[in-house]
Amino acid sequence: QVQLVESGGGLVQAGGSLRLSCLARGSIGSINAMGWYRQAPGKQRELVAIITPRSTTNYADSVKGRFTISRDNAENTVYLQMNSLKPEDTAVYYCNANVQRIVGGIWSNYWGLGTQVTVSS
């Protein structure tokens, strides 16, 4: 079993900051890309940021310059530092990881349950 456990969401005023964390735990052999997605009410889930094992990153245009993704490979953890938050950043944020399980060596895509981020104006 592999689980992704997010933390760090909450309510913040516009212009404020939050830091999200996501721990991958379980029967993990290797982790390839890790990322953050978000889904606002009535909208499709969208990519926010993604990071490779060697820390190559990619961001949605809407968060470039405000959000920073990072990871700790030794701790199987990915972070999302969110600064200068805007009301339009309000959404449920989901962690995603491409994980190779120890047993069988199968690669699969896993999702966390999500953490709510609400930015008030």
Side-chain angles (χ1 to χ4, degrees):
Q1 285 281 21
V2 174
Q3 290 181 315
L4 302 184
V5 182
E6 301 115 332
S7 61
L11 173 65
V12 65
Q13 287 188 332
S17 298
L18 283 173
R19 188 190 194 210
L20 306 183
S21 300
C22 172
L23 168 67
R25 62 186 186 190
S27 179
I28 296 171
S30 298
I31 303 178
N32 196 356
M34 302 183 81
W36 289 95
Y37 291 71
R38 67 186 181 186
Q39 187 167 18
K43 295 188 177 181
Q44 289 189 331
R45 191 173 297 188
E46 62 176 2
L47 173 68
V48 176
I50 193 167
I51 185 168
T52 69
R54 294 193 176 186
S55 294
T56 299
T57 59
N58 192 31
Y59 296 90
D61 287 343
S62 59
V63 306
K64 283 181 181 176
R66 300 188 298 121
F67 291 10
T68 302
I69 189 170
S70 61
R71 65 189 283 172
D72 184 332
N73 291 329
E75 298 294 331
N76 291 339
T77 300
V78 63
Y79 304 95
L80 186 68
Q81 178 65 44
M82 304 185 294
N83 299 328
S84 302
L85 282 160
K86 304 175 181 180
E88 51 263 44
D89 294 319
T90 296
V92 178
Y93 284 69
Y94 296 91
C95 177
N96 174 269
N98 189 234
V99 178
Q100 183 184 36
R101 295 181 61 176
I102 292 176
V103 178
I106 296 173
W107 286 92
S108 299
N109 213 29
Y110 292 89
W111 291 91
L113 296 179
T115 185
Q116 177 70 46
V117 171
T118 302
V119 185
S120 63
S121 57

